[in-house]
């Protein structure tokens, strides 16, 4: 699994779902570079794709291609955690090093992993859980929260039907 190594500003986010793609979250940025792809197969089913900017490492998009198994919406555990605004910047080394200024020479544009994931749908939320990871930090961008474990691994992505309040004030 790739890990967040930093945080960058979030300018905007768009979310959508339809009968064929259960959830797409797109963080808007200025990059026109071809993204790096992280394909995740759920251990109990489901298929996800996360797109990462090759230059900055910032998350660009999350697509739930095939919905992971649903779990009962009991909400996320309310554990003490650090809160802030922004989006994660991931370590791009799993794709290999890029030495060209146009970021076109990664060893691979696509990496794959198998993760324990589940999907929760409530009246006001859609939550993608990476169930092996406990939240230590929550980053908010408009109505989307990204939960990270202490080591930077994803623990959840939460899409709220209404915008989140700014945790900074």
């Amino acid at each position: 699994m790739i890990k967040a190594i930093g945080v960058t500003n979030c300018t905007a986010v768009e979310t959508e779902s339809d009968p064929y793609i259960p959830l797409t979250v797109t963080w808007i940025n200025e990059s026109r570079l071809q993204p790096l792809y992280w394909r995740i197969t759920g251990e109990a089913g489901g298929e996800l794709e996360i797109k990462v900017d090759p230059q900055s490492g910032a998350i660009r998009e999350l697509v739930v291609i095939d919905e992971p198994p649903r779990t009962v919406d009991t909400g996320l555990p309310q554990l003490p955690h650090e809160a802030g605004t922004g989006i994660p910047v991931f370590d791009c080394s799993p794709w290999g090093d890029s030495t060209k200024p146009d970021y076109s020479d990664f060893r691979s544009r696509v990496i794959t992993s198998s993760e324990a994931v589940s999907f929760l749908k409530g009246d006001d939320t859609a939550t993608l859980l990476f169930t092996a990871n406990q939240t230590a930090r929550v980053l908010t961008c408009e109505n989307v929260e990204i939960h990270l474990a202490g080591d930077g691994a994803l623990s959840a992505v939460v899409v709220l039907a209404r915008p989140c309040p700014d945790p900074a004030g």
Side-chain angles (χ1 to χ4, degrees):
M1 173 179 280
I2 64 173
K3 309 275 173 111
I5 57 171
V7 176
T8 192
N9 293 331
C10 174
T11 55
V13 64
E14 294 176 353
T15 61
E16 63 181 289
S17 64
D18 62 41
Y20 305 104
I21 302 293
L23 179 64
T24 301
V25 181
T26 305
W27 290 269
I28 310 303
N29 66 41
E30 300 298 318
S31 179
R32 301 288 178 233
L33 299 173
Q34 178 186 359
L36 301 172
Y37 299 89
W38 176 25
R39 300 242 170 96
I40 302 164
T41 301
E43 291 174 355
E47 196 74 28
L48 316 172
E49 180 177 77
I50 294 177
K51 297 176 186 176
V52 175
D53 183 79
Q55 182 176 20
S56 69
I59 191 168
R60 285 175 44 181
E61 190 168 58
L62 165 77
V63 181
V64 177
I65 298 167
D66 184 24
E67 193 172 295
R70 287 191 182 207
T71 59
V72 177
D73 188 357
T74 58
L76 292 170
Q78 296 302 312
L79 303 171
H81 61 266
E82 179 184 339
T85 57
I87 56 174
V89 171
F90 291 110
D91 173 15
C92 292
S93 65
W95 287 276
D97 294 325
S98 179
T99 57
K100 292 186 180 176
D102 65 355
Y103 297 91
S104 64
D105 64 337
F106 283 90
R107 186 172 356 112
S108 175
R109 285 261 168 213
V110 179
I111 60 172
T112 61
S113 68
S114 178
E115 308 288 340
V117 293
S118 61
F119 201 50
L120 304 170
K121 279 197 174 175
D123 292 338
D124 293 339
T125 63
T127 304
L128 181 63
L129 286 173
F130 293 80
T131 54
N133 303 320
Q134 188 174 25
T135 297
R137 183 175 195 185
V138 177
L139 298 174
T140 303
C141 178
E142 295 182 3
N143 66 323
V144 177
E145 296 177 349
I146 298 177
H147 295 230
L148 299 171
D151 66 356
L154 283 171
S155 58
V157 176
V158 181
V159 177
L160 300 155
R162 60 198 179 293
C164 298
D166 183 351

